């Protein structure tokens, strides 16, 4: 473990100093600027810009302990702003870059944020009215043009400001960040994490997969989410690896091939998209046949993984939700073992990890260093570690509900533990529903089976109080376009009917679905059907389609929403 002179783990700011001393001239960030142009930042560049921005924050009246918000898609200045806030003695409050104005206002006012960094955004107009009056704002270099006209711009500030001489030295119990949960229901909760948690987990996590300075990672999942922030920003400070930023969804294929990541973390929806795209090019049956041919085996594996930009990947991780066993098995045939990990905002994403060579499909590994795990009487997973939150900001009653006095966190997930200590997630305590026959159904594993069919984007299995469950489905944009002709739609309907039977054959009788319902509108963050981390908002989806389901569920097979 990297430690300070007193034997404790280095804080993120101390880790940055170590990086500058040991790797000052090494490239740490590769930032796309558009049009194929990129800018490289060394560790010295990062420290200098962060120190200058910290000095500017203080010049604008920021006091120690002030809360400073930032809203942006991933970019180099996001991480440097986070470091600058800490250097100046502040608490960082990240906002998802897809929030609507009402949610921006809710979080900004609840967190009492005094300033806001406005960065790389697709729709600033959708958000800006949510910024409370009196909040000072700073624009990143890649911010929308209007923001750069309205507010001081990062590059100008850096050019005109001398670096702070003495940076803030936090105590372990000092608050470092408030991370607002994306929330599948209700008001987002502000999860408080202190510097002790960041320091301890930062120094421990790099040892799990023996991360080295020559690793390459691509940052594309929201840095406002705790998993990306720990896996990219914090881990990098303790490892010294290189991080490439993605430019946009449209350029992601080029971005990942530029990065050639050796470590790659994705949520199931991303792995599913990789699988579906590859399956369209080389159907699984054909791939199996080709892989059996000795002289073609290695060539095919490298070609398929190379098309995804993953031919150099040595550690592939999946988290946030369960990944379909079919997809894990498919990648394993290509020589890429996807290791499932488990964590949540409330425990700084530090809970369970599948180690290389210990993969058991459907399980999320053993407890990380310093993590205790137990199963409560109702089947709920409970964990205790230094990664656990200090509590929810200004929500003492909710904190007492989720965090016991002796430090055990109620995860809200149900699970089981095997003899080796491996954990299996079997559902959510509140997501499991009961059919009218009194049988309980866990929807997530069924949904993971459903979305393995190419052309399907998302699935939501519902059935509370119904005779048998049904599944609401979203198609991929590509499939929506392809189905404009009647014959294509008829053929896909037949494929869906076969798939319905295939999935039903793999689950218990009380879980079997009568109907696949194809919804005409996409579920997006903007229409509040999914969270910024791409999780279903089940209550919103069920309420939206409640009337239609009464009719659609009377038909067995496949129903297309008119």
């Amino acid at each position: 473990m990297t430690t300070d002179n007193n034997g404790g783990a280095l804080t993120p700011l101390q880790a940055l100093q170590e990086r500058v001393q040991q790797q000052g001239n090494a490239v740490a960030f590769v930032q796309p600027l558009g049009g194929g142009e990129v800018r490289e930042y060394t560790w010295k560049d990062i420290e200098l810009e962060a120190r200058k921005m910290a000095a500017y924050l203080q010049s604008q009246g920021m006091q120690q302990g002030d809360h400073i918000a930032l809203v942006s898609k991933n970019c180099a200045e996001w991480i440097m702003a986070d470091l600058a806030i800490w250097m100046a003695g502040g608490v960082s409050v990240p906002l998802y870059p897809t929030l609507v104005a009402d949610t921006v206002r809710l979080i900004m006012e609840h967190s009492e944020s005094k300033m806001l960094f406005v960065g790389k955004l697709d729709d600033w107009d959708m958000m800006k009215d949510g910024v409370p009056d009196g909040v000072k704002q700073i624009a990143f270099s890649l911010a929308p043009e209007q923001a750069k006209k309205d507010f001081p711009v990062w590059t100008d500030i850096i050019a005109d400001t001398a670096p702070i001489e003495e940076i803030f030295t936090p105590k372990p119990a000092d608050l470092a960040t408030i991370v607002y949960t994306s929330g599948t229901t209700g008001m987002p909760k502000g999860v408080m994490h202190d510097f002790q948690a960041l320091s301890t987990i930062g120094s421990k996590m790099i040892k799990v997969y023996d991360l080295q300075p020559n690793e390459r990672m691509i940052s594309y999942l929201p840095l406002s989410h705790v998993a990306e922030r720990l896996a990219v920003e914090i881990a990098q400070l303790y490892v010294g690896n290189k991080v490439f930023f993605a430019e946009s969804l449209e350029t992601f294929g080029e971005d990942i091939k530029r990065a050639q990541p050796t470590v790659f973390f994705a949520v199931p929806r991303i792995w599913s998209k990789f699988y579906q795209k590859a399956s369209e090019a080389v159907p699984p049956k054909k791939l199996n046949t080709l892989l059996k041919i000795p002289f073609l085996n290695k060539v095919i594996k490298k070609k398929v993984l190379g098309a995804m930009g993953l031919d150099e990947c040595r550690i592939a991780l999946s988290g946030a939700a369960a990944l379909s066993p079919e997809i894990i098995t498919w990648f394993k045939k290509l020589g890429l073992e996807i290791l499932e990990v488990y964590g949540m905002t409330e425990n700084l994403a530090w809970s369970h990890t599948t180690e290389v060579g210990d993969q058991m499909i459907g399980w999320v590994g053993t407890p990380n260093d310093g993590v205790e795990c137990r199963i409560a009487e109702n089947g709920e997973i409970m964990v205790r570690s230094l990664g656990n939150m200090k509590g929810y900001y200004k929500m003492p009653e909710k904190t007492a509900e989720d965090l016991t006095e002796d430090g055990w966190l109620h995860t809200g997930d149900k699970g089981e533990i095997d003899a080796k200590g491996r954990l299996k997630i079997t559902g959510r305590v509140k997501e499991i529903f009961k059919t009218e026959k009194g049988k309980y159904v866990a929807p997530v594993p069924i949904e993971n089976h459903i979305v393995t069919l190419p052309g399907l984007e998302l699935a939501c299995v519902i059935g509370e109080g119904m005779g048998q469950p049904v599944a609401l489905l979203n198609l991929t944009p590509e499939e929506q376009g392809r189905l404009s002709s009647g014959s294509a739609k008829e053929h896909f309907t037949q494929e869906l009917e076969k798939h319905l039977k295939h999935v039903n054959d793999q689950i218990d009788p009380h879980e079997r679905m009568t109907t696949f319902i194809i919804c005409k509108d996409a579920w997006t963050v903007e229409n509040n059907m999914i969270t910024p981390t791409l999780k279903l908002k089940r209550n919103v989806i069920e309420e939206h389609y409640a009337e239609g389901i009464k009719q659609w569920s009377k038909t067995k097979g496949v129903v297309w929403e008119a």
Side-chain angles (χ1 to χ4, degrees), residues 146 187 252 259 375 530:
Q146 189 58 52
M187 164 74 189
F252 182 70
I375 305 296
I530 59 174

Side-chain angles (χ1 to χ4, degrees), residues 148 248 342-343 388 414 424:
K148 289 197 283 188
S248 67
Y342 173 63
N388 282 4
K414 290 176 79 83
K424 183 176 187 179

Side-chain angles (χ1 to χ4, degrees), residues 185-309:
T185 59
M187 164 74 189
K189 302 182 292 291
V191 177
M192 297 186 290
H193 283 296
D194 57 23
F195 280 98
Q196 181 181 42
L198 290 175
S199 303
T200 304
I201 307 313
S203 59
K204 285 177 180 290
M205 69 186 300
I206 67 173
K207 297 187 292 183
V208 178
Y209 295 115
D210 189 27
L211 300 181
Q212 300 296 323
N214 62 355
E215 308 286 3
R216 298 182 301 277
M217 296 184 73
I218 182 167
S219 181
Y220 68 102
L221 296 171
L223 276 165
S224 44
H225 187 267
V226 72
E228 182 81 354
R229 196 167 174 202
L230 265 290
V232 172
E233 177 187 1
I234 301 301
Q236 186 193 25
L237 289 170
Y238 290 82
V239 177
N241 58 289
K242 187 185 290 189
V243 168
F244 294 74
F245 293 94
E247 182 177 349
S248 67
L249 189 62
E250 291 71 32
T251 64
F252 182 70
E254 299 164 30
D255 295 330
I256 192 170
K257 286 172 185 173
R258 178 191 298 120
Q260 290 286 291
T262 58
V263 180
F264 182 71
F265 173 74
V267 294
R269 191 175 176 188
I270 302 296
W271 289 116
S272 180
K273 282 183 175 291
F274 276 138
Y275 168 77
Q276 290 189 359
K277 285 281 188 186
S279 295
E280 288 169 7
V282 186
K285 284 185 179 178
K286 184 177 180 181
L287 180 65
N288 287 340
T289 302
L290 292 171
L291 291 176
K292 289 175 184 175
I293 304 171
F295 67 89
L296 277 180
N297 184 286
K298 285 186 178 179
V299 176
I300 293 295
K301 286 179 179 179
K302 187 164 182 66
K303 188 171 183 181
V304 175
L305 289 176
M308 302 175 195

Side-chain angles (χ1 to χ4, degrees), residues 17 68 125 130 154 168 176 204 255 277 304 342 358 386 405 410 416 479 492 522:
Q17 293 304 305
I68 310 297
D125 288 340
W154 180 285
F168 175 64
K204 285 177 180 290
D255 295 330
K277 285 281 188 186
V304 175
Y342 173 63
D358 192 39
L386 286 173
E405 287 185 7
H410 288 272
E416 56 189 68
E479 192 65 30
F492 191 59

